Amino acid sequence: FAAVVAAGPGVIAVDRMAGALEARLRQGGERMQLAANRPRRALKVMLYEADMPAWERQALPILVAGGEVVAVPGLGVALAAQAARGAPGFAVTWHPAPV
C-alpha cells in the first residue's frame, strides 16, 4: 500500500477513523457500503461481481479501522470513511508484487 495526503471524495477521512488503520487479509463475513444509495453488502459478493479471480480475492488485503472495513483495492472506500468534498484525507493505492 501507498498513501498520500489528498482531499475530496474517494479518500479516507482522517477525522472519521476509529482506531489505528490495519491492513489484513479477508477473514470472511466482512461487509461494506460504498455509497448512500447502495446497501451494505458482503465483500465476497462485491469482489465476485467485480470479476476478480478467486485466487486474487483470497490474497487481497483490506484496510480496517475500529473493526470496520475502510477500503478495499479494486472496490473503493467505505461510505463511513470517505472524506467530505475538500476535506483532508489519505488516498490509498495498492501495488501488488509482480507475479
Side-chain angles (χ1 to χ4, degrees), residues 29-67:
E30 296 93 352
R31 299 178 72 79
M32 181 169 75
Q33 181 179 9
L34 291 174
N37 63 346
R38 294 183 175 170
R40 188 171 163 90
R41 299 182 62 213
L43 289 185
K44 178 180 179 177
V45 173
M46 294 170 73
L47 293 169
Y48 177 80
E49 291 176 351
D51 290 327
M52 187 173 291
W55 62 268
E56 197 171 317
R57 293 192 305 259
Q58 293 173 353
L60 185 69
I62 61 174
L63 293 178
V64 178

mmCIF file of all heavy atoms in Angstrom, residues 29-67:
data_model
loop_
_atom_site.group_PDB
_atom_site.id
_atom_site.type_symbol
_atom_site.label_atom_id
_atom_site.label_comp_id
_atom_site.label_asym_id
_atom_site.label_seq_id
_atom_site.Cartn_x
_atom_site.Cartn_y
_atom_site.Cartn_z
ATOM 1 N N GLY A 29 -17.009 -12.734 6.056
ATOM 2 C CA GLY A 29 -18.086 -12.041 6.757
ATOM 3 C C GLY A 29 -17.987 -10.530 6.728
ATOM 4 O O GLY A 29 -18.878 -9.859 7.252
ATOM 5 N N GLU A 30 -16.940 -9.970 6.120
ATOM 6 C CA GLU A 30 -16.813 -8.514 6.074
ATOM 7 C C GLU A 30 -17.881 -7.925 5.151
ATOM 8 O O GLU A 30 -18.254 -8.519 4.153
ATOM 9 C CB GLU A 30 -15.426 -8.096 5.546
ATOM 10 C CG GLU A 30 -14.281 -8.496 6.431
ATOM 11 C CD GLU A 30 -13.680 -9.832 6.033
ATOM 12 O OE1 GLU A 30 -14.238 -10.536 5.160
ATOM 13 O OE2 GLU A 30 -12.644 -10.188 6.597
ATOM 14 N N ARG A 31 -18.348 -6.746 5.537
ATOM 15 C CA ARG A 31 -19.372 -6.052 4.752
ATOM 16 C C ARG A 31 -18.951 -4.593 4.616
ATOM 17 O O ARG A 31 -18.224 -4.061 5.457
ATOM 18 C CB ARG A 31 -20.725 -6.151 5.443
ATOM 19 C CG ARG A 31 -21.199 -7.599 5.589
ATOM 20 C CD ARG A 31 -22.515 -7.723 6.303
ATOM 21 N NE ARG A 31 -23.642 -7.272 5.516
ATOM 22 C CZ ARG A 31 -24.233 -7.992 4.544
ATOM 23 N NH1 ARG A 31 -23.782 -9.198 4.278
ATOM 24 N NH2 ARG A 31 -25.257 -7.508 3.869
ATOM 25 N N MET A 32 -19.460 -3.957 3.559
ATOM 26 C CA MET A 32 -19.082 -2.566 3.319
ATOM 27 C C MET A 32 -20.177 -1.881 2.492
ATOM 28 O O MET A 32 -20.828 -2.513 1.669
ATOM 29 C CB MET A 32 -17.747 -2.520 2.570
ATOM 30 C CG MET A 32 -17.246 -1.134 2.297
ATOM 31 S SD MET A 32 -15.535 -1.072 1.691
ATOM 32 C CE MET A 32 -15.745 -1.617 0.014
ATOM 33 N N GLN A 33 -20.363 -0.594 2.738
ATOM 34 C CA GLN A 33 -21.279 0.231 1.955
ATOM 35 C C GLN A 33 -20.434 1.285 1.246
ATOM 36 O O GLN A 33 -19.699 2.036 1.889
ATOM 37 C CB GLN A 33 -22.309 0.899 2.859
ATOM 38 C CG GLN A 33 -23.309 1.741 2.104
ATOM 39 C CD GLN A 33 -24.345 2.375 3.019
ATOM 40 O OE1 GLN A 33 -24.225 2.333 4.235
ATOM 41 N NE2 GLN A 33 -25.368 2.958 2.433
ATOM 42 N N LEU A 34 -20.545 1.354 -0.086
ATOM 43 C CA LEU A 34 -19.729 2.286 -0.864
ATOM 44 C C LEU A 34 -20.388 3.642 -1.089
ATOM 45 O O LEU A 34 -19.704 4.641 -1.271
ATOM 46 C CB LEU A 34 -19.378 1.670 -2.221
ATOM 47 C CG LEU A 34 -18.414 0.486 -2.158
ATOM 48 C CD1 LEU A 34 -18.253 -0.131 -3.539
ATOM 49 C CD2 LEU A 34 -17.070 0.926 -1.606
ATOM 50 N N ALA A 35 -21.716 3.702 -1.111
ATOM 51 C CA ALA A 35 -22.414 4.957 -1.363
ATOM 52 C C ALA A 35 -23.744 4.972 -0.622
ATOM 53 O O ALA A 35 -24.283 3.920 -0.285
ATOM 54 C CB ALA A 35 -22.656 5.127 -2.866
ATOM 55 N N ALA A 36 -24.275 6.167 -0.403
ATOM 56 C CA ALA A 36 -25.527 6.309 0.347
ATOM 57 C C ALA A 36 -26.695 5.634 -0.357
ATOM 58 O O ALA A 36 -27.620 5.160 0.290
ATOM 59 C CB ALA A 36 -25.825 7.792 0.567
ATOM 60 N N ASN A 37 -26.630 5.569 -1.685
ATOM 61 C CA ASN A 37 -27.733 4.955 -2.428
ATOM 62 C C ASN A 37 -27.507 3.460 -2.681
ATOM 63 O O ASN A 37 -28.216 2.865 -3.475
ATOM 64 C CB ASN A 37 -27.954 5.686 -3.756
ATOM 65 C CG ASN A 37 -26.754 5.595 -4.682
ATOM 66 O OD1 ASN A 37 -25.664 5.219 -4.265
ATOM 67 N ND2 ASN A 37 -26.945 5.973 -5.926
ATOM 68 N N ARG A 38 -26.543 2.889 -2.017
ATOM 69 C CA ARG A 38 -26.261 1.456 -2.137
ATOM 70 C C ARG A 38 -26.348 0.805 -0.761
ATOM 71 O O ARG A 38 -26.000 1.422 0.240
ATOM 72 C CB ARG A 38 -24.851 1.221 -2.685
ATOM 73 C CG ARG A 38 -24.662 1.680 -4.099
ATOM 74 C CD ARG A 38 -23.265 1.336 -4.530
ATOM 75 N NE ARG A 38 -23.057 1.650 -5.929
ATOM 76 C CZ ARG A 38 -21.876 1.632 -6.498
ATOM 77 N NH1 ARG A 38 -20.801 1.318 -5.787
ATOM 78 N NH2 ARG A 38 -21.755 1.916 -7.771
ATOM 79 N N PRO A 39 -26.786 -0.454 -0.707
ATOM 80 C CA PRO A 39 -26.867 -1.127 0.593
ATOM 81 C C PRO A 39 -25.488 -1.600 1.070
ATOM 82 O O PRO A 39 -24.529 -1.659 0.300
ATOM 83 C CB PRO A 39 -27.768 -2.335 0.295
ATOM 84 C CG PRO A 39 -27.522 -2.629 -1.140
ATOM 85 C CD PRO A 39 -27.295 -1.289 -1.805
ATOM 86 N N ARG A 40 -25.417 -1.910 2.332
ATOM 87 C CA ARG A 40 -24.227 -2.541 2.913
ATOM 88 C C ARG A 40 -24.218 -3.974 2.396
ATOM 89 O O ARG A 40 -25.210 -4.686 2.535
ATOM 90 C CB ARG A 40 -24.350 -2.497 4.437
ATOM 91 C CG ARG A 40 -23.151 -2.929 5.183
ATOM 92 C CD ARG A 40 -23.400 -2.589 6.665
ATOM 93 N NE ARG A 40 -22.512 -3.300 7.518
ATOM 94 C CZ ARG A 40 -21.314 -2.863 7.897
ATOM 95 N NH1 ARG A 40 -20.905 -1.686 7.484
ATOM 96 N NH2 ARG A 40 -20.545 -3.577 8.675
ATOM 97 N N ARG A 41 -23.086 -4.410 1.784
ATOM 98 C CA ARG A 41 -23.038 -5.721 1.142
ATOM 99 C C ARG A 41 -21.792 -6.493 1.554
ATOM 100 O O ARG A 41 -20.797 -5.912 1.987
ATOM 101 C CB ARG A 41 -23.048 -5.556 -0.376
ATOM 102 C CG ARG A 41 -24.308 -4.856 -0.843
ATOM 103 C CD ARG A 41 -24.396 -4.708 -2.323
ATOM 104 N NE ARG A 41 -24.414 -6.011 -2.967
ATOM 105 C CZ ARG A 41 -23.888 -6.245 -4.150
ATOM 106 N NH1 ARG A 41 -23.302 -5.297 -4.825
ATOM 107 N NH2 ARG A 41 -23.952 -7.450 -4.677
ATOM 108 N N ALA A 42 -21.833 -7.793 1.364
ATOM 109 C CA ALA A 42 -20.705 -8.668 1.670
ATOM 110 C C ALA A 42 -19.586 -8.444 0.663
ATOM 111 O O ALA A 42 -19.827 -8.377 -0.544
ATOM 112 C CB ALA A 42 -21.147 -10.126 1.643
ATOM 113 N N LEU A 43 -18.349 -8.330 1.164
ATOM 114 C CA LEU A 43 -17.202 -8.161 0.280
ATOM 115 C C LEU A 43 -17.073 -9.330 -0.686
ATOM 116 O O LEU A 43 -16.720 -9.142 -1.850
ATOM 117 C CB LEU A 43 -15.905 -8.038 1.080
ATOM 118 C CG LEU A 43 -15.699 -6.760 1.870
ATOM 119 C CD1 LEU A 43 -14.319 -6.751 2.501
ATOM 120 C CD2 LEU A 43 -15.919 -5.551 1.022
ATOM 121 N N LYS A 44 -17.361 -10.525 -0.204
ATOM 122 C CA LYS A 44 -17.267 -11.715 -1.041
ATOM 123 C C LYS A 44 -18.085 -11.540 -2.316
ATOM 124 O O LYS A 44 -17.612 -11.799 -3.421
ATOM 125 C CB LYS A 44 -17.758 -12.940 -0.253
ATOM 126 C CG LYS A 44 -17.764 -14.225 -1.024
ATOM 127 C CD LYS A 44 -18.257 -15.363 -0.144
ATOM 128 C CE LYS A 44 -18.295 -16.678 -0.901
ATOM 129 N NZ LYS A 44 -18.691 -17.793 -0.044
ATOM 130 N N VAL A 45 -19.308 -11.061 -2.176
ATOM 131 C CA VAL A 45 -20.199 -10.863 -3.321
ATOM 132 C C VAL A 45 -19.710 -9.702 -4.184
ATOM 133 O O VAL A 45 -19.689 -9.789 -5.418
ATOM 134 C CB VAL A 45 -21.648 -10.618 -2.844
ATOM 135 C CG1 VAL A 45 -22.557 -10.241 -3.990
ATOM 136 C CG2 VAL A 45 -22.165 -11.832 -2.107
ATOM 137 N N MET A 46 -19.301 -8.613 -3.547
ATOM 138 C CA MET A 46 -18.845 -7.439 -4.293
ATOM 139 C C MET A 46 -17.614 -7.757 -5.136
ATOM 140 O O MET A 46 -17.513 -7.322 -6.289
ATOM 141 C CB MET A 46 -18.568 -6.290 -3.322
ATOM 142 C CG MET A 46 -19.824 -5.784 -2.622
ATOM 143 S SD MET A 46 -19.482 -4.650 -1.276
ATOM 144 C CE MET A 46 -18.986 -3.196 -2.163
ATOM 145 N N LEU A 47 -16.682 -8.517 -4.584
ATOM 146 C CA LEU A 47 -15.467 -8.882 -5.319
ATOM 147 C C LEU A 47 -15.791 -9.842 -6.450
ATOM 148 O O LEU A 47 -15.215 -9.748 -7.538
ATOM 149 C CB LEU A 47 -14.427 -9.477 -4.368
ATOM 150 C CG LEU A 47 -13.863 -8.490 -3.349
ATOM 151 C CD1 LEU A 47 -13.054 -9.225 -2.290
ATOM 152 C CD2 LEU A 47 -13.021 -7.431 -4.038
ATOM 153 N N TYR A 48 -16.702 -10.753 -6.223
ATOM 154 C CA TYR A 48 -17.135 -11.686 -7.274
ATOM 155 C C TYR A 48 -17.767 -10.904 -8.421
ATOM 156 O O TYR A 48 -17.472 -11.139 -9.595
ATOM 157 C CB TYR A 48 -18.106 -12.713 -6.701
ATOM 158 C CG TYR A 48 -18.647 -13.662 -7.743
ATOM 159 C CD1 TYR A 48 -17.894 -14.743 -8.181
ATOM 160 C CD2 TYR A 48 -19.903 -13.461 -8.299
ATOM 161 C CE1 TYR A 48 -18.386 -15.606 -9.153
ATOM 162 C CE2 TYR A 48 -20.402 -14.314 -9.268
ATOM 163 C CZ TYR A 48 -19.641 -15.387 -9.695
ATOM 164 O OH TYR A 48 -20.119 -16.226 -10.659
ATOM 165 N N GLU A 49 -18.659 -9.979 -8.083
ATOM 166 C CA GLU A 49 -19.331 -9.181 -9.107
ATOM 167 C C GLU A 49 -18.364 -8.258 -9.852
ATOM 168 O O GLU A 49 -18.640 -7.842 -10.981
ATOM 169 C CB GLU A 49 -20.466 -8.370 -8.489
ATOM 170 C CG GLU A 49 -21.618 -9.228 -8.040
ATOM 171 C CD GLU A 49 -22.720 -8.467 -7.331
ATOM 172 O OE1 GLU A 49 -22.552 -7.262 -7.013
ATOM 173 O OE2 GLU A 49 -23.766 -9.078 -7.081
ATOM 174 N N ALA A 50 -17.237 -7.931 -9.233
ATOM 175 C CA ALA A 50 -16.216 -7.102 -9.875
ATOM 176 C C ALA A 50 -15.313 -7.936 -10.785
ATOM 177 O O ALA A 50 -14.324 -7.428 -11.308
ATOM 178 C CB ALA A 50 -15.383 -6.383 -8.815
ATOM 179 N N ASP A 51 -15.657 -9.222 -10.959
ATOM 180 C CA ASP A 51 -14.900 -10.151 -11.814
ATOM 181 C C ASP A 51 -13.461 -10.356 -11.359
ATOM 182 O O ASP A 51 -12.583 -10.593 -12.176
ATOM 183 C CB ASP A 51 -14.929 -9.698 -13.283
ATOM 184 C CG ASP A 51 -16.302 -9.852 -13.893
ATOM 185 O OD1 ASP A 51 -17.023 -10.792 -13.506
ATOM 186 O OD2 ASP A 51 -16.651 -9.033 -14.764
ATOM 187 N N MET A 52 -13.237 -10.257 -10.055
ATOM 188 C CA MET A 52 -11.907 -10.514 -9.524
ATOM 189 C C MET A 52 -11.728 -12.025 -9.396
ATOM 190 O O MET A 52 -12.574 -12.690 -8.804
ATOM 191 C CB MET A 52 -11.722 -9.840 -8.159
ATOM 192 C CG MET A 52 -10.307 -9.931 -7.634
ATOM 193 S SD MET A 52 -10.073 -8.974 -6.127
ATOM 194 C CE MET A 52 -10.211 -7.311 -6.748
ATOM 195 N N PRO A 53 -10.648 -12.594 -9.948
ATOM 196 C CA PRO A 53 -10.432 -14.042 -9.855
ATOM 197 C C PRO A 53 -10.348 -14.514 -8.403
ATOM 198 O O PRO A 53 -9.890 -13.779 -7.522
ATOM 199 C CB PRO A 53 -9.085 -14.250 -10.559
ATOM 200 C CG PRO A 53 -8.842 -13.015 -11.347
ATOM 201 C CD PRO A 53 -9.586 -11.907 -10.663
ATOM 202 N N ALA A 54 -10.779 -15.734 -8.158
ATOM 203 C CA ALA A 54 -10.808 -16.292 -6.796
ATOM 204 C C ALA A 54 -9.446 -16.238 -6.129
ATOM 205 O O ALA A 54 -9.335 -15.883 -4.953
ATOM 206 C CB ALA A 54 -11.339 -17.718 -6.823
ATOM 207 N N TRP A 55 -8.389 -16.566 -6.861
ATOM 208 C CA TRP A 55 -7.050 -16.573 -6.263
ATOM 209 C C TRP A 55 -6.637 -15.175 -5.832
ATOM 210 O O TRP A 55 -5.949 -14.994 -4.834
ATOM 211 C CB TRP A 55 -6.013 -17.169 -7.227
ATOM 212 C CG TRP A 55 -5.858 -16.381 -8.508
ATOM 213 C CD1 TRP A 55 -6.523 -16.571 -9.680
ATOM 214 C CD2 TRP A 55 -4.998 -15.265 -8.712
ATOM 215 N NE1 TRP A 55 -6.129 -15.641 -10.617
ATOM 216 C CE2 TRP A 55 -5.185 -14.824 -10.054
ATOM 217 C CE3 TRP A 55 -4.080 -14.588 -7.910
ATOM 218 C CZ2 TRP A 55 -4.500 -13.745 -10.597
ATOM 219 C CZ3 TRP A 55 -3.395 -13.507 -8.464
ATOM 220 C CH2 TRP A 55 -3.597 -13.094 -9.787
ATOM 221 N N GLU A 56 -7.080 -14.158 -6.563
ATOM 222 C CA GLU A 56 -6.751 -12.784 -6.212
ATOM 223 C C GLU A 56 -7.573 -12.312 -5.010
ATOM 224 O O GLU A 56 -7.079 -11.594 -4.145
ATOM 225 C CB GLU A 56 -7.005 -11.869 -7.412
ATOM 226 C CG GLU A 56 -6.333 -10.532 -7.301
ATOM 227 C CD GLU A 56 -6.437 -9.745 -8.590
ATOM 228 O OE1 GLU A 56 -6.251 -10.305 -9.674
ATOM 229 O OE2 GLU A 56 -6.727 -8.531 -8.495
ATOM 230 N N ARG A 57 -8.847 -12.734 -4.953
ATOM 231 C CA ARG A 57 -9.704 -12.370 -3.811
ATOM 232 C C ARG A 57 -9.135 -12.906 -2.509
ATOM 233 O O ARG A 57 -9.210 -12.245 -1.470
ATOM 234 C CB ARG A 57 -11.122 -12.909 -4.010
ATOM 235 C CG ARG A 57 -11.869 -12.266 -5.144
ATOM 236 C CD ARG A 57 -13.346 -12.610 -5.148
ATOM 237 N NE ARG A 57 -13.667 -14.022 -5.157
ATOM 238 C CZ ARG A 57 -14.039 -14.717 -6.219
ATOM 239 N NH1 ARG A 57 -14.126 -14.133 -7.400
ATOM 240 N NH2 ARG A 57 -14.338 -15.988 -6.127
ATOM 241 N N GLN A 58 -8.569 -14.110 -2.537
ATOM 242 C CA GLN A 58 -8.020 -14.733 -1.324
ATOM 243 C C GLN A 58 -6.788 -14.000 -0.807
ATOM 244 O O GLN A 58 -6.528 -13.985 0.390
ATOM 245 C CB GLN A 58 -7.671 -16.191 -1.587
ATOM 246 C CG GLN A 58 -8.872 -17.053 -1.836
ATOM 247 C CD GLN A 58 -8.486 -18.461 -2.274
ATOM 248 O OE1 GLN A 58 -7.336 -18.761 -2.523
ATOM 249 N NE2 GLN A 58 -9.488 -19.325 -2.372
ATOM 250 N N ALA A 59 -6.017 -13.397 -1.707
ATOM 251 C CA ALA A 59 -4.773 -12.722 -1.321
ATOM 252 C C ALA A 59 -4.930 -11.215 -1.200
ATOM 253 O O ALA A 59 -3.966 -10.512 -0.933
ATOM 254 C CB ALA A 59 -3.686 -13.050 -2.342
ATOM 255 N N LEU A 60 -6.138 -10.710 -1.378
ATOM 256 C CA LEU A 60 -6.382 -9.271 -1.378
ATOM 257 C C LEU A 60 -6.360 -8.696 0.035
ATOM 258 O O LEU A 60 -7.147 -9.109 0.889
ATOM 259 C CB LEU A 60 -7.741 -8.995 -2.023
ATOM 260 C CG LEU A 60 -8.113 -7.536 -2.227
ATOM 261 C CD1 LEU A 60 -7.227 -6.913 -3.303
ATOM 262 C CD2 LEU A 60 -9.566 -7.432 -2.630
ATOM 263 N N PRO A 61 -5.502 -7.726 0.301
ATOM 264 C CA PRO A 61 -5.528 -7.083 1.616
ATOM 265 C C PRO A 61 -6.663 -6.067 1.684
ATOM 266 O O PRO A 61 -7.048 -5.483 0.668
ATOM 267 C CB PRO A 61 -4.166 -6.382 1.693
ATOM 268 C CG PRO A 61 -3.831 -6.090 0.276
ATOM 269 C CD PRO A 61 -4.432 -7.207 -0.540
ATOM 270 N N ILE A 62 -7.215 -5.888 2.858
ATOM 271 C CA ILE A 62 -8.235 -4.861 3.069
ATOM 272 C C ILE A 62 -7.756 -3.952 4.191
ATOM 273 O O ILE A 62 -6.947 -4.353 5.030
ATOM 274 C CB ILE A 62 -9.618 -5.468 3.403
ATOM 275 C CG1 ILE A 62 -9.564 -6.294 4.694
ATOM 276 C CG2 ILE A 62 -10.123 -6.312 2.245
ATOM 277 C CD1 ILE A 62 -10.925 -6.788 5.144
ATOM 278 N N LEU A 63 -8.234 -2.715 4.200
ATOM 279 C CA LEU A 63 -7.899 -1.781 5.268
ATOM 280 C C LEU A 63 -9.062 -1.728 6.249
ATOM 281 O O LEU A 63 -10.218 -1.574 5.850
ATOM 282 C CB LEU A 63 -7.630 -0.388 4.703
ATOM 283 C CG LEU A 63 -6.385 -0.267 3.830
ATOM 284 C CD1 LEU A 63 -6.262 1.143 3.289
ATOM 285 C CD2 LEU A 63 -5.146 -0.645 4.612
ATOM 286 N N VAL A 64 -8.733 -1.858 7.537
ATOM 287 C CA VAL A 64 -9.727 -1.910 8.603
ATOM 288 C C VAL A 64 -9.336 -0.908 9.681
ATOM 289 O O VAL A 64 -8.154 -0.752 9.992
ATOM 290 C CB VAL A 64 -9.790 -3.337 9.208
ATOM 291 C CG1 VAL A 64 -10.771 -3.412 10.359
ATOM 292 C CG2 VAL A 64 -10.128 -4.359 8.138
ATOM 293 N N ALA A 65 -10.321 -0.232 10.244
ATOM 294 C CA ALA A 65 -10.106 0.667 11.378
ATOM 295 C C ALA A 65 -11.271 0.500 12.333
ATOM 296 O O ALA A 65 -12.426 0.513 11.914
ATOM 297 C CB ALA A 65 -9.984 2.115 10.922
ATOM 298 N N GLY A 66 -10.979 0.305 13.587
ATOM 299 C CA GLY A 66 -12.043 0.151 14.586
ATOM 300 C C GLY A 66 -12.950 -1.031 14.299
ATOM 301 O O GLY A 66 -14.136 -0.982 14.590
ATOM 302 N N GLY A 67 -12.428 -2.079 13.673
ATOM 303 C CA GLY A 67 -13.218 -3.264 13.374
ATOM 304 C C GLY A 67 -14.083 -3.147 12.131
ATOM 305 O O GLY A 67 -14.788 -4.085 11.777
#
